[in-house]
């Protein structure tokens, strides 16, 4: 199974900051990567698919990049509603695997 | 707008079978190119993919659970189901159903249902 390693596991930031979360795959996955945002008590919400494509309705301050094994999620001008946990997911092959999550805290 | 809703017992005894159903609304489960999936999340922990089923019947399971898991589809009811046999306390989790288009990540999710394994 492909292992997805996210870093950092948590970070502290302020409103208005830019933050970057990274996800590394244990083998090449082309651009078959998605990013999710999860708030307490809620289901994950898809933000980015195909590594860099913004899901409909997601604010443009979210962006993704990368290909192969190394990927990043960037949130520009952090808003209060962005404090949450973020996960990457590889959909290159089965079994699907998630990163362990990055908690973005105030 | 497609909606998914999990249902089933919130408490299951150790060694018994966990059974959940996901009802799909405002969309057909028989639509080609979609995979219907189950994902779980132990309280306070990360996400674990359980398995996926194509509407035609092809299934894919997490190797760590494969010996205990069955996912099935009932097109007449627009539902798909999860059965997880011989559960233990480590199977306690929030269980989500979700949809993915072929080659894409899960885009629609149910709200999740907490299943506790305890005697």
């Amino acid at each position: 199974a492909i292992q997805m390693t996210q870093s950092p596991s948590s970070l502290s930031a302020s409103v208005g900051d830019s933050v970057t979360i990274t996800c590394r795959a244990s083998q090449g996955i082309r651009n078959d990567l998605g990013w999710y945002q999860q708030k307490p008590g809620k289901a994950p919400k898809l933000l980015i698919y195909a590594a860099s494509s913004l899901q409909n309705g997601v604010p443009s301050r979210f962006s993704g990049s990368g290909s192969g094994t190394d990927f990043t999620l960037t949130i520009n001008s952090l808003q209060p509603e962005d404090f949450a946990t973020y996960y990457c997911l590889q959909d290159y092959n089965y079994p699907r695997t998630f990163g362990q999550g990055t908690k973005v805290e105030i | 707008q497609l909606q998914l809703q999990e249902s089933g017992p919130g408490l299951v005894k150790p060694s018994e079978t966990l059974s959940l159903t996901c009802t799909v609304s405002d969309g057909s489960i028989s639509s080609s190119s979609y995979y219907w999936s189950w994902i779980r999340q132990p309280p306070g922990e990360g996400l674990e993919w359980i398995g996926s089923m194509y509407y035609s019947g092809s299934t894919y399971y997490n190797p760590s659970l494969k010996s205990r898991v069955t996912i099935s589809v009932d097109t007449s009811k627009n539902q798909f189901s999860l059965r997880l046999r011989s559960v233990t306390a480590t199977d306690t989790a929030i269980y989500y159903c979700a949809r993915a288009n072929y080659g894409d990540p899960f885009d629609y999710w149910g709200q999740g249902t907490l299943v506790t394994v305890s005697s």
Side-chain angles (χ1 to χ4, degrees), chain B residues 62-80:
Chain B
N62 192 319
S64 67
L65 300 169
K66 186 174 183 177
S67 64
R68 300 192 291 131
V69 171
T70 302
I71 295 175
S72 58
V73 169
D74 187 337
T75 55
S76 67
K77 295 182 179 179
N78 223 35
Q79 295 175 335
F80 63 106

Side-chain angles (χ1 to χ4, degrees), chain A residues 36 38 42-43 87 91 94-96, chain B residues 41 49 60 96 103 105-106 110:
Chain A
Y36 290 87
Q38 187 179 33
K42 299 293 187 182
Y87 294 92
D91 58 297
Y94 288 104
R96 299 291 196 245
Chain B
Q41 184 172 37
W49 172 77
Y60 304 87
Y96 295 99
F106 311 109

Side-chain angles (χ1 to χ4, degrees), chain B residues 20-37:
Chain B
L20 295 174
T21 295
C22 182
T23 300
V24 179
S25 304
D26 296 324
S28 173
I29 204 168
S30 300
S31 298
S32 61
S33 83
Y34 292 129
Y35 288 81
W36 305 96
S37 306

Side-chain angles (χ1 to χ4, degrees), chain A residues 32 34 36 38 41-44 46 48-50 55 87 89 91 94-96 98 100, chain B residues 35 39 41 45-49 52 60 62-63 96 103-107 109-111:
Chain A
D32 294 329
Y36 290 87
Q38 187 179 33
K42 299 293 187 182
L46 180 64
I48 301 284
Y49 64 96
Q55 180 72 349
Y87 294 92
L89 163 74
D91 58 297
Y94 288 104
R96 299 291 196 245
F98 291 88
Q100 75 273 29
Chain B
Y35 288 81
I39 296 146
Q41 184 172 37
E45 298 186 24
L47 298 161
E48 179 182 35
W49 172 77
S52 298
Y60 304 87
N62 192 319
Y96 295 99
D104 285 334
F106 311 109
D107 54 356
W109 295 62
Q111 65 185 26

